[in-house]
Amino acid sequence: MIEIDLPKIQHSQQDVDVIDILWRQDIDLGACREVFDFSHRQKEHELQQQRELEEERSRQQLREQEKALLAQLQLDEETGEFVPRPPTSAPEAQPAATPPTATQNIPFTEEEGDALSFDECMQLLAETFPLVESVETETPLWTPIHPLTSSRPAVMDPHEPPLMETDFMPTLEPPQKPPPDLEQAWMELLSIPELQKCMNLQMEDMLEPENLTATGSLTEEREANYSFYMPNHTDMGGDTTDTEYLNTFERPITNAQSPDDHVQRTLTVPDISTALSGDSFCDLFYPEITTKQDNTAPATQPISSGDAGHPLAGLPKDTLLKPMGISKFALEEGFESVKAEVMGEFSHSDSGLSLDSSSKPSSPGKPMHVDESFGNSDSEMEEMGTNPGGAESDCTETRALFHQEDNYQVPSPVSSPLTMSQDSKARNPKTNPAERGHHRKPPFTKDKAKRSTGSRSSRDEQRARALQIPFAVDTIVNLPVDDFNEMMSRQQLNEAQLALVRDIRRRGKNKVAAHNCRKRKMENITGLEAELASLREERERLQRERRETGSSLQEMKKQLSSLYLEVFGLLQNEQGQPYSPSEYSLHLSADGSVFLIPRTKKTLSKSE
DNA sequence: TAGCTTTGTCATTTC
DNA sequence: CGGAAATGACAAAGC
C-alpha cells in the first residue's frame, strides 16, 4: 500500500492519481466513494495492512486446525469424503460428533484432539475469566451472561460428571490429572457456556481477523460474533438431549436474530420473550454490541436487513445457520422410529453429496401445484441466481431469504422438536452461502471464495422452508423407506407439501446416485486405463519374445546349414569323388541314421 | 469470451 | 409390478 501524507492539504496531480489508483483498488474490495476521504482511507490502509497480517496468521492456524480435524475424520469409501469417526466413547458424547456439516464446515469445532489441549484450554479459561464468580442461581431458563465476566447458566446437563458440578470455573485450576478419556472430557468441557464463549473468542480471533480491523475494536467484534458459534459448540459439545440447556442458547440467539424470529419464538416460549424481549434482552446479553453496533455497522458492512433498530439485526443470520445436527437430533427425538443405524447413515449423508439443489427453474416434469405454491420464492431464487455479484446482490439475497424465514413457521403438532429442527436448519451453513459471505467483513474477496465453494445453494431447503416442510432435507432424503413413510404419515401435510417432499427425496436420492454413478464411471475408466497399460506391456513383451525366438531360429538354421554342408562335403563315392549336392541330399531317419538319397529318386518317390 | 469441468436434475432403463 | 438404483443427456455455474 502507498502511504498517504495526511497533513498535506494541497494535493498534486500525482497524489490525485495515486488516490485514483487506490480508489479503484478499493472498489475491487467493495469500498464506496465515501471511503475516499483521506482520514478514512488512511485508516482503511492501516486496517488493510493489519487485516492482511491477521489473515495470514489466521490461515496458518486454520490450516493446523483443519489438519487436526482431518485427523478426527475418516474417509467415507462410498462417497470419498471425510466423515467423523464413529464415536467410541460414552453415548452422550455421540451427538457431538455426528453432525457432518458442523464438523466439515466448521473445522474449529472439532479440534479438540490436537489444536488445543486440555491444559491449554484451561489456561485459556484462566486468562479469559480471571475474576470468575459463580452465580449459581436457580433461574429456570438462563441467566444473563456478560461476555467478559462469568456466570454459569443455571441449567446444566444433568449428565455432567462431578467435575462439572463442582464448578471448577472460579478456581480455574487444571485438574490434578487429565481425565481418562480426553475426548469425553472435551465434550463435557464444551458443554460449559463459558468455555464455549472462550473457545469462540479464540476461534473468532483466529478465523475472523478482518472483523477486528473493520472497526478497530477487537472486543466489540468478538462480542458481536462470538455468540454465533455457540450453536456449533452446543451442537458439538453439549448434550443435545438436554433440550433445556439448548434452549438457554437457542432461544436468546434466535431472538437476537430478528424481531420476526423473536415473535416466532414467543409462540413457543412466551415466558422468555416476555421477560427478555428484543433490545432489552440484547442489552442484557450483548451489552457491548448494543451500545456500539450503531457505530460499527456503517463502517463494516452495509446492513440491509431493514431492521436497523435491532442491535443484532445487522448481523446476518447466516452465522447462525451452521449446524444441521440439532435438526437431526431434534427431529429424531420426536421421531423415535429412526434407528441407530440411520443415525450412522446421516453422518454420511452430507459427505460430498450435499443435498442441495441447483438454481434451476422449475422443471417441466415437476408437479404444477408445487411450482405454483412457491412461485414467488422461486422467482426470487432465480433472481438470486442470476443477479451479478456484489454487495447489492448479497443484500438482495439476504433480504429474500429473510423474507422467507420470517414467514417460515411450523404448523407441526410436534412443536418442540420440529421447531428445533427448523432452528437448526436455519443455521445450516449450506442453506445460504450468500448470507455467510454477507456477514464476513472483506466483502468481495471472501464472498467470491465462499460462492465458489458453496455456490450451490440449497434450493430444496428453501423450497421446503417456503412450503413449511417440517423435516430437514437430510432427513427426507436419507431416511429408509419405512421410516420415511412413517414420518410422512405422522405429519398432516397437504398435497403440495407431500409432492415437494417426494421431489426432494427423489432429487436427493438421484443426486447420490449420480455421484456414485460418476464415481463408478471414473473408476471404470481408471481400471480400463490400467488394463490397457498392462495389455500394452504384455504385447511389448510378446513381440520382444517373438523377435528373440526368430533370431534364435535363424541362428539355428545357419548352424544346421553349415553342418549339413560340412557333412555332405565329407561324403565321397567309390571313386573318391564328392557327391554333387544337386544330385543327392542327406536324410536323417527317425532312428538317427543318416542316408544319402539321390534327389531324382527322391523326387520320383515323392511324385509317386 | 470460448471451452472445459463439475454438479444437479430429469427421463429412461435396469435391477 | 412397484420402487429404488443406475445411467445417459442436458443445463447451469464456475474456472
Side-chain angles (χ1 to χ4, degrees), chain A residues 174-205:
Chain A
Q176 296 296 326
K177 55 181 181 179
D181 188 344
L182 192 56
E183 185 177 358
Q184 184 175 355
W186 263 103
M187 296 304 172
E188 293 160 356
L189 273 178
L190 289 170
S191 68
I192 304 171
E194 285 86 351
L195 183 52
Q196 291 173 351
K197 280 192 294 182
C198 179
M199 300 284 287
N200 288 330
L201 292 177
Q202 199 71 5
M203 295 311 166
E204 278 295 323
D205 192 16

PDB file of all heavy atoms in Angstrom, chain A residues 174-205:
ATOM      1  N   PRO A 174      -6.330 -26.358  36.514  1.00  0.00           N
ATOM      2  CA  PRO A 174      -6.419 -27.595  35.748  1.00  0.00           C
ATOM      3  C   PRO A 174      -6.620 -28.759  36.697  1.00  0.00           C
ATOM      4  O   PRO A 174      -6.195 -28.710  37.850  1.00  0.00           O
ATOM      5  CB  PRO A 174      -5.052 -27.699  35.039  1.00  0.00           C
ATOM      6  CG  PRO A 174      -4.492 -26.328  35.109  1.00  0.00           C
ATOM      7  CD  PRO A 174      -5.065 -25.685  36.325  1.00  0.00           C
ATOM      8  N   PRO A 175      -7.260 -29.782  36.209  1.00  0.00           N
ATOM      9  CA  PRO A 175      -7.462 -30.927  37.081  1.00  0.00           C
ATOM     10  C   PRO A 175      -6.138 -31.548  37.468  1.00  0.00           C
ATOM     11  O   PRO A 175      -5.112 -31.364  36.814  1.00  0.00           O
ATOM     12  CB  PRO A 175      -8.302 -31.877  36.220  1.00  0.00           C
ATOM     13  CG  PRO A 175      -8.100 -31.420  34.830  1.00  0.00           C
ATOM     14  CD  PRO A 175      -7.833 -29.965  34.902  1.00  0.00           C
ATOM     15  N   GLN A 176      -6.184 -32.263  38.544  1.00  0.00           N
ATOM     16  CA  GLN A 176      -4.962 -32.865  39.045  1.00  0.00           C
ATOM     17  C   GLN A 176      -4.326 -33.750  37.995  1.00  0.00           C
ATOM     18  O   GLN A 176      -3.146 -33.743  37.782  1.00  0.00           O
ATOM     19  CB  GLN A 176      -5.283 -33.682  40.296  1.00  0.00           C
ATOM     20  CG  GLN A 176      -5.786 -32.841  41.456  1.00  0.00           C
ATOM     21  CD  GLN A 176      -4.741 -31.871  41.933  1.00  0.00           C
ATOM     22  OE1 GLN A 176      -3.547 -32.187  41.898  1.00  0.00           O
ATOM     23  NE2 GLN A 176      -5.123 -30.689  42.382  1.00  0.00           N
ATOM     24  N   LYS A 177      -5.181 -34.468  37.341  1.00  0.00           N
ATOM     25  CA  LYS A 177      -4.653 -35.286  36.249  1.00  0.00           C
ATOM     26  C   LYS A 177      -5.688 -35.275  35.149  1.00  0.00           C
ATOM     27  O   LYS A 177      -6.882 -35.114  35.413  1.00  0.00           O
ATOM     28  CB  LYS A 177      -4.373 -36.711  36.705  1.00  0.00           C
ATOM     29  CG  LYS A 177      -5.599 -37.376  37.325  1.00  0.00           C
ATOM     30  CD  LYS A 177      -5.268 -38.768  37.777  1.00  0.00           C
ATOM     31  CE  LYS A 177      -6.467 -39.481  38.374  1.00  0.00           C
ATOM     32  NZ  LYS A 177      -6.167 -40.835  38.793  1.00  0.00           N
ATOM     33  N   PRO A 178      -5.265 -35.424  33.956  1.00  0.00           N
ATOM     34  CA  PRO A 178      -6.226 -35.390  32.857  1.00  0.00           C
ATOM     35  C   PRO A 178      -7.196 -36.540  32.996  1.00  0.00           C
ATOM     36  O   PRO A 178      -6.855 -37.604  33.504  1.00  0.00           O
ATOM     37  CB  PRO A 178      -5.345 -35.538  31.609  1.00  0.00           C
ATOM     38  CG  PRO A 178      -4.064 -36.081  32.099  1.00  0.00           C
ATOM     39  CD  PRO A 178      -3.902 -35.635  33.494  1.00  0.00           C
ATOM     40  N   PRO A 179      -8.425 -36.310  32.538  1.00  0.00           N
ATOM     41  CA  PRO A 179      -9.411 -37.374  32.605  1.00  0.00           C
ATOM     42  C   PRO A 179      -8.985 -38.527  31.727  1.00  0.00           C
ATOM     43  O   PRO A 179      -8.224 -38.361  30.781  1.00  0.00           O
ATOM     44  CB  PRO A 179     -10.693 -36.712  32.075  1.00  0.00           C
ATOM     45  CG  PRO A 179     -10.228 -35.552  31.310  1.00  0.00           C
ATOM     46  CD  PRO A 179      -8.960 -35.100  31.939  1.00  0.00           C
ATOM     47  N   PRO A 180      -9.500 -39.695  32.039  1.00  0.00           N
ATOM     48  CA  PRO A 180      -9.081 -40.869  31.272  1.00  0.00           C
ATOM     49  C   PRO A 180      -9.439 -40.746  29.809  1.00  0.00           C
ATOM     50  O   PRO A 180      -8.637 -41.061  28.944  1.00  0.00           O
ATOM     51  CB  PRO A 180      -9.828 -42.021  31.947  1.00  0.00           C
ATOM     52  CG  PRO A 180     -10.947 -41.366  32.701  1.00  0.00           C
ATOM     53  CD  PRO A 180     -10.459 -40.015  33.067  1.00  0.00           C
ATOM     54  N   ASP A 181     -10.587 -40.241  29.537  1.00  0.00           N
ATOM     55  CA  ASP A 181     -10.992 -40.105  28.136  1.00  0.00           C
ATOM     56  C   ASP A 181     -10.963 -38.636  27.781  1.00  0.00           C
ATOM     57  O   ASP A 181     -11.830 -37.865  28.149  1.00  0.00           O
ATOM     58  CB  ASP A 181     -12.389 -40.690  27.942  1.00  0.00           C
ATOM     59  CG  ASP A 181     -12.734 -40.739  26.460  1.00  0.00           C
ATOM     60  OD1 ASP A 181     -12.063 -40.071  25.663  1.00  0.00           O
ATOM     61  OD2 ASP A 181     -13.689 -41.447  26.149  1.00  0.00           O
ATOM     62  N   LEU A 182      -9.974 -38.279  27.062  1.00  0.00           N
ATOM     63  CA  LEU A 182      -9.798 -36.851  26.782  1.00  0.00           C
ATOM     64  C   LEU A 182     -10.926 -36.317  25.922  1.00  0.00           C
ATOM     65  O   LEU A 182     -11.408 -35.205  26.112  1.00  0.00           O
ATOM     66  CB  LEU A 182      -8.467 -36.646  26.068  1.00  0.00           C
ATOM     67  CG  LEU A 182      -8.014 -35.191  25.954  1.00  0.00           C
ATOM     68  CD1 LEU A 182      -7.955 -34.581  27.334  1.00  0.00           C
ATOM     69  CD2 LEU A 182      -6.683 -35.126  25.276  1.00  0.00           C
ATOM     70  N   GLU A 183     -11.355 -37.132  25.013  1.00  0.00           N
ATOM     71  CA  GLU A 183     -12.411 -36.647  24.126  1.00  0.00           C
ATOM     72  C   GLU A 183     -13.692 -36.403  24.895  1.00  0.00           C
ATOM     73  O   GLU A 183     -14.364 -35.382  24.729  1.00  0.00           O
ATOM     74  CB  GLU A 183     -12.658 -37.665  23.023  1.00  0.00           C
ATOM     75  CG  GLU A 183     -13.652 -37.182  22.007  1.00  0.00           C
ATOM     76  CD  GLU A 183     -13.826 -38.184  20.897  1.00  0.00           C
ATOM     77  OE1 GLU A 183     -13.149 -39.224  20.912  1.00  0.00           O
ATOM     78  OE2 GLU A 183     -14.639 -37.909  20.017  1.00  0.00           O
ATOM     79  N   GLN A 184     -14.002 -37.341  25.752  1.00  0.00           N
ATOM     80  CA  GLN A 184     -15.216 -37.146  26.530  1.00  0.00           C
ATOM     81  C   GLN A 184     -15.069 -35.937  27.427  1.00  0.00           C
ATOM     82  O   GLN A 184     -16.010 -35.164  27.624  1.00  0.00           O
ATOM     83  CB  GLN A 184     -15.477 -38.398  27.354  1.00  0.00           C
ATOM     84  CG  GLN A 184     -16.778 -38.298  28.102  1.00  0.00           C
ATOM     85  CD  GLN A 184     -17.071 -39.603  28.822  1.00  0.00           C
ATOM     86  OE1 GLN A 184     -16.335 -40.566  28.657  1.00  0.00           O
ATOM     87  NE2 GLN A 184     -18.135 -39.608  29.589  1.00  0.00           N
ATOM     88  N   ALA A 185     -13.897 -35.779  27.968  1.00  0.00           N
ATOM     89  CA  ALA A 185     -13.693 -34.613  28.806  1.00  0.00           C
ATOM     90  C   ALA A 185     -13.913 -33.342  28.021  1.00  0.00           C
ATOM     91  O   ALA A 185     -14.482 -32.367  28.506  1.00  0.00           O
ATOM     92  CB  ALA A 185     -12.277 -34.651  29.375  1.00  0.00           C
ATOM     93  N   TRP A 186     -13.509 -33.391  26.784  1.00  0.00           N
ATOM     94  CA  TRP A 186     -13.720 -32.203  25.954  1.00  0.00           C
ATOM     95  C   TRP A 186     -15.193 -31.963  25.713  1.00  0.00           C
ATOM     96  O   TRP A 186     -15.665 -30.843  25.709  1.00  0.00           O
ATOM     97  CB  TRP A 186     -12.987 -32.368  24.630  1.00  0.00           C
ATOM     98  CG  TRP A 186     -11.679 -31.693  24.659  1.00  0.00           C
ATOM     99  CD1 TRP A 186     -10.460 -32.246  24.810  1.00  0.00           C
ATOM    100  CD2 TRP A 186     -11.473 -30.287  24.571  1.00  0.00           C
ATOM    101  NE1 TRP A 186      -9.510 -31.282  24.817  1.00  0.00           N
ATOM    102  CE2 TRP A 186     -10.093 -30.078  24.667  1.00  0.00           C
ATOM    103  CE3 TRP A 186     -12.317 -29.188  24.424  1.00  0.00           C
ATOM    104  CZ2 TRP A 186      -9.542 -28.827  24.621  1.00  0.00           C
ATOM    105  CZ3 TRP A 186     -11.752 -27.945  24.371  1.00  0.00           C
ATOM    106  CH2 TRP A 186     -10.380 -27.775  24.477  1.00  0.00           C
ATOM    107  N   MET A 187     -15.860 -33.042  25.448  1.00  0.00           N
ATOM    108  CA  MET A 187     -17.295 -32.886  25.241  1.00  0.00           C
ATOM    109  C   MET A 187     -17.936 -32.255  26.471  1.00  0.00           C
ATOM    110  O   MET A 187     -18.783 -31.371  26.373  1.00  0.00           O
ATOM    111  CB  MET A 187     -17.937 -34.259  24.977  1.00  0.00           C
ATOM    112  CG  MET A 187     -17.442 -34.904  23.715  1.00  0.00           C
ATOM    113  SD  MET A 187     -17.679 -33.867  22.294  1.00  0.00           S
ATOM    114  CE  MET A 187     -16.816 -34.779  21.056  1.00  0.00           C
ATOM    115  N   GLU A 188     -17.519 -32.722  27.613  1.00  0.00           N
ATOM    116  CA  GLU A 188     -18.089 -32.155  28.821  1.00  0.00           C
ATOM    117  C   GLU A 188     -17.693 -30.705  28.974  1.00  0.00           C
ATOM    118  O   GLU A 188     -18.500 -29.853  29.333  1.00  0.00           O
ATOM    119  CB  GLU A 188     -17.615 -32.975  30.023  1.00  0.00           C
ATOM    120  CG  GLU A 188     -18.189 -34.387  29.997  1.00  0.00           C
ATOM    121  CD  GLU A 188     -17.374 -35.322  30.856  1.00  0.00           C
ATOM    122  OE1 GLU A 188     -16.344 -34.877  31.393  1.00  0.00           O
ATOM    123  OE2 GLU A 188     -17.773 -36.487  30.988  1.00  0.00           O
ATOM    124  N   LEU A 189     -16.442 -30.470  28.692  1.00  0.00           N
ATOM    125  CA  LEU A 189     -15.983 -29.087  28.818  1.00  0.00           C
ATOM    126  C   LEU A 189     -16.742 -28.169  27.888  1.00  0.00           C
ATOM    127  O   LEU A 189     -17.132 -27.060  28.243  1.00  0.00           O
ATOM    128  CB  LEU A 189     -14.489 -29.016  28.500  1.00  0.00           C
ATOM    129  CG  LEU A 189     -13.563 -29.264  29.668  1.00  0.00           C
ATOM    130  CD1 LEU A 189     -12.140 -29.201  29.187  1.00  0.00           C
ATOM    131  CD2 LEU A 189     -13.803 -28.233  30.739  1.00  0.00           C
ATOM    132  N   LEU A 190     -16.950 -28.662  26.695  1.00  0.00           N
ATOM    133  CA  LEU A 190     -17.582 -27.803  25.704  1.00  0.00           C
ATOM    134  C   LEU A 190     -19.044 -27.572  26.002  1.00  0.00           C
ATOM    135  O   LEU A 190     -19.679 -26.765  25.347  1.00  0.00           O
ATOM    136  CB  LEU A 190     -17.414 -28.416  24.322  1.00  0.00           C
ATOM    137  CG  LEU A 190     -15.978 -28.327  23.843  1.00  0.00           C
ATOM    138  CD1 LEU A 190     -15.779 -29.156  22.600  1.00  0.00           C
ATOM    139  CD2 LEU A 190     -15.608 -26.886  23.593  1.00  0.00           C
ATOM    140  N   SER A 191     -19.566 -28.313  26.902  1.00  0.00           N
ATOM    141  CA  SER A 191     -20.951 -28.053  27.270  1.00  0.00           C
ATOM    142  C   SER A 191     -21.048 -26.898  28.248  1.00  0.00           C
ATOM    143  O   SER A 191     -22.137 -26.486  28.613  1.00  0.00           O
ATOM    144  CB  SER A 191     -21.564 -29.306  27.876  1.00  0.00           C
ATOM    145  OG  SER A 191     -20.962 -29.565  29.121  1.00  0.00           O
ATOM    146  N   ILE A 192     -19.935 -26.392  28.658  1.00  0.00           N
ATOM    147  CA  ILE A 192     -19.957 -25.271  29.579  1.00  0.00           C
ATOM    148  C   ILE A 192     -19.994 -23.983  28.786  1.00  0.00           C
ATOM    149  O   ILE A 192     -19.156 -23.761  27.922  1.00  0.00           O
ATOM    150  CB  ILE A 192     -18.709 -25.294  30.475  1.00  0.00           C
ATOM    151  CG1 ILE A 192     -18.659 -26.641  31.182  1.00  0.00           C
ATOM    152  CG2 ILE A 192     -18.733 -24.162  31.461  1.00  0.00           C
ATOM    153  CD1 ILE A 192     -17.374 -26.854  31.916  1.00  0.00           C
ATOM    154  N   PRO A 193     -20.949 -23.180  29.033  1.00  0.00           N
ATOM    155  CA  PRO A 193     -21.084 -21.968  28.220  1.00  0.00           C
ATOM    156  C   PRO A 193     -19.854 -21.080  28.279  1.00  0.00           C
ATOM    157  O   PRO A 193     -19.442 -20.518  27.271  1.00  0.00           O
ATOM    158  CB  PRO A 193     -22.314 -21.277  28.813  1.00  0.00           C
ATOM    159  CG  PRO A 193     -23.053 -22.348  29.514  1.00  0.00           C
ATOM    160  CD  PRO A 193     -22.047 -23.343  29.982  1.00  0.00           C
ATOM    161  N   GLU A 194     -19.265 -20.944  29.421  1.00  0.00           N
ATOM    162  CA  GLU A 194     -18.107 -20.061  29.499  1.00  0.00           C
ATOM    163  C   GLU A 194     -16.993 -20.565  28.613  1.00  0.00           C
ATOM    164  O   GLU A 194     -16.322 -19.801  27.932  1.00  0.00           O
ATOM    165  CB  GLU A 194     -17.615 -19.955  30.952  1.00  0.00           C
ATOM    166  CG  GLU A 194     -18.488 -19.098  31.811  1.00  0.00           C
ATOM    167  CD  GLU A 194     -19.637 -19.885  32.382  1.00  0.00           C
ATOM    168  OE1 GLU A 194     -19.859 -21.039  31.991  1.00  0.00           O
ATOM    169  OE2 GLU A 194     -20.346 -19.330  33.212  1.00  0.00           O
ATOM    170  N   LEU A 195     -16.853 -21.860  28.674  1.00  0.00           N
ATOM    171  CA  LEU A 195     -15.801 -22.419  27.843  1.00  0.00           C
ATOM    172  C   LEU A 195     -16.132 -22.252  26.370  1.00  0.00           C
ATOM    173  O   LEU A 195     -15.269 -21.974  25.546  1.00  0.00           O
ATOM    174  CB  LEU A 195     -15.631 -23.902  28.167  1.00  0.00           C
ATOM    175  CG  LEU A 195     -14.501 -24.585  27.410  1.00  0.00           C
ATOM    176  CD1 LEU A 195     -13.220 -23.804  27.579  1.00  0.00           C
ATOM    177  CD2 LEU A 195     -14.333 -25.989  27.912  1.00  0.00           C
ATOM    178  N   GLN A 196     -17.382 -22.377  26.067  1.00  0.00           N
ATOM    179  CA  GLN A 196     -17.768 -22.159  24.680  1.00  0.00           C
ATOM    180  C   GLN A 196     -17.460 -20.745  24.260  1.00  0.00           C
ATOM    181  O   GLN A 196     -16.933 -20.481  23.181  1.00  0.00           O
ATOM    182  CB  GLN A 196     -19.264 -22.430  24.515  1.00  0.00           C
ATOM    183  CG  GLN A 196     -19.586 -23.897  24.665  1.00  0.00           C
ATOM    184  CD  GLN A 196     -21.070 -24.133  24.666  1.00  0.00           C
ATOM    185  OE1 GLN A 196     -21.839 -23.178  24.729  1.00  0.00           O
ATOM    186  NE2 GLN A 196     -21.464 -25.376  24.611  1.00  0.00           N
ATOM    187  N   LYS A 197     -17.790 -19.849  25.148  1.00  0.00           N
ATOM    188  CA  LYS A 197     -17.500 -18.463  24.797  1.00  0.00           C
ATOM    189  C   LYS A 197     -16.014 -18.285  24.614  1.00  0.00           C
ATOM    190  O   LYS A 197     -15.553 -17.620  23.697  1.00  0.00           O
ATOM    191  CB  LYS A 197     -18.011 -17.541  25.914  1.00  0.00           C
ATOM    192  CG  LYS A 197     -19.498 -17.299  25.820  1.00  0.00           C
ATOM    193  CD  LYS A 197     -19.885 -16.179  26.731  1.00  0.00           C
ATOM    194  CE  LYS A 197     -19.665 -16.568  28.173  1.00  0.00           C
ATOM    195  NZ  LYS A 197     -20.078 -15.510  29.092  1.00  0.00           N
ATOM    196  N   CYS A 198     -15.307 -18.883  25.531  1.00  0.00           N
ATOM    197  CA  CYS A 198     -13.868 -18.740  25.459  1.00  0.00           C
ATOM    198  C   CYS A 198     -13.343 -19.281  24.143  1.00  0.00           C
ATOM    199  O   CYS A 198     -12.545 -18.649  23.461  1.00  0.00           O
ATOM    200  CB  CYS A 198     -13.239 -19.496  26.616  1.00  0.00           C
ATOM    201  SG  CYS A 198     -11.473 -19.428  26.620  1.00  0.00           S
ATOM    202  N   MET A 199     -13.828 -20.457  23.809  1.00  0.00           N
ATOM    203  CA  MET A 199     -13.415 -21.039  22.541  1.00  0.00           C
ATOM    204  C   MET A 199     -13.838 -20.151  21.383  1.00  0.00           C
ATOM    205  O   MET A 199     -13.107 -19.958  20.415  1.00  0.00           O
ATOM    206  CB  MET A 199     -14.040 -22.428  22.377  1.00  0.00           C
ATOM    207  CG  MET A 199     -13.640 -23.390  23.447  1.00  0.00           C
ATOM    208  SD  MET A 199     -11.983 -23.974  23.198  1.00  0.00           S
ATOM    209  CE  MET A 199     -12.256 -25.033  21.816  1.00  0.00           C
ATOM    210  N   ASN A 200     -15.002 -19.638  21.477  1.00  0.00           N
ATOM    211  CA  ASN A 200     -15.493 -18.801  20.390  1.00  0.00           C
ATOM    212  C   ASN A 200     -14.628 -17.574  20.227  1.00  0.00           C
ATOM    213  O   ASN A 200     -14.294 -17.163  19.121  1.00  0.00           O
ATOM    214  CB  ASN A 200     -16.932 -18.381  20.673  1.00  0.00           C
ATOM    215  CG  ASN A 200     -17.867 -19.546  20.506  1.00  0.00           C
ATOM    216  OD1 ASN A 200     -17.604 -20.432  19.716  1.00  0.00           O
ATOM    217  ND2 ASN A 200     -18.941 -19.541  21.258  1.00  0.00           N
ATOM    218  N   LEU A 201     -14.289 -16.997  21.359  1.00  0.00           N
ATOM    219  CA  LEU A 201     -13.445 -15.812  21.270  1.00  0.00           C
ATOM    220  C   LEU A 201     -12.142 -16.155  20.599  1.00  0.00           C
ATOM    221  O   LEU A 201     -11.656 -15.447  19.727  1.00  0.00           O
ATOM    222  CB  LEU A 201     -13.198 -15.263  22.674  1.00  0.00           C
ATOM    223  CG  LEU A 201     -14.412 -14.665  23.370  1.00  0.00           C
ATOM    224  CD1 LEU A 201     -14.037 -14.226  24.757  1.00  0.00           C
ATOM    225  CD2 LEU A 201     -14.950 -13.514  22.568  1.00  0.00           C
ATOM    226  N   GLN A 202     -11.622 -17.254  21.015  1.00  0.00           N
ATOM    227  CA  GLN A 202     -10.340 -17.628  20.454  1.00  0.00           C
ATOM    228  C   GLN A 202     -10.464 -17.923  18.967  1.00  0.00           C
ATOM    229  O   GLN A 202      -9.656 -17.499  18.161  1.00  0.00           O
ATOM    230  CB  GLN A 202      -9.839 -18.871  21.188  1.00  0.00           C
ATOM    231  CG  GLN A 202      -8.362 -19.092  21.041  1.00  0.00           C
ATOM    232  CD  GLN A 202      -7.588 -18.055  21.817  1.00  0.00           C
ATOM    233  OE1 GLN A 202      -8.177 -17.252  22.522  1.00  0.00           O
ATOM    234  NE2 GLN A 202      -6.282 -18.037  21.658  1.00  0.00           N
ATOM    235  N   MET A 203     -11.495 -18.643  18.635  1.00  0.00           N
ATOM    236  CA  MET A 203     -11.655 -19.003  17.236  1.00  0.00           C
ATOM    237  C   MET A 203     -11.988 -17.777  16.399  1.00  0.00           C
ATOM    238  O   MET A 203     -11.523 -17.647  15.267  1.00  0.00           O
ATOM    239  CB  MET A 203     -12.767 -20.044  17.086  1.00  0.00           C
ATOM    240  CG  MET A 203     -12.419 -21.346  17.744  1.00  0.00           C
ATOM    241  SD  MET A 203     -10.792 -21.895  17.255  1.00  0.00           S
ATOM    242  CE  MET A 203     -10.498 -23.152  18.449  1.00  0.00           C
ATOM    243  N   GLU A 204     -12.765 -16.928  16.948  1.00  0.00           N
ATOM    244  CA  GLU A 204     -13.072 -15.717  16.208  1.00  0.00           C
ATOM    245  C   GLU A 204     -11.804 -14.933  15.960  1.00  0.00           C
ATOM    246  O   GLU A 204     -11.592 -14.382  14.892  1.00  0.00           O
ATOM    247  CB  GLU A 204     -14.066 -14.863  16.993  1.00  0.00           C
ATOM    248  CG  GLU A 204     -15.482 -15.308  16.807  1.00  0.00           C
ATOM    249  CD  GLU A 204     -15.923 -15.107  15.363  1.00  0.00           C
ATOM    250  OE1 GLU A 204     -15.510 -14.105  14.773  1.00  0.00           O
ATOM    251  OE2 GLU A 204     -16.649 -15.940  14.855  1.00  0.00           O
ATOM    252  N   ASP A 205     -10.976 -14.918  16.972  1.00  0.00           N
ATOM    253  CA  ASP A 205      -9.731 -14.185  16.816  1.00  0.00           C
ATOM    254  C   ASP A 205      -8.908 -14.787  15.701  1.00  0.00           C
ATOM    255  O   ASP A 205      -8.267 -14.094  14.915  1.00  0.00           O
ATOM    256  CB  ASP A 205      -8.960 -14.248  18.135  1.00  0.00           C
ATOM    257  CG  ASP A 205      -7.825 -13.276  18.126  1.00  0.00           C
ATOM    258  OD1 ASP A 205      -7.841 -12.384  17.254  1.00  0.00           O
ATOM    259  OD2 ASP A 205      -6.947 -13.387  18.974  1.00  0.00           O
TER     260      ASP A 205
END
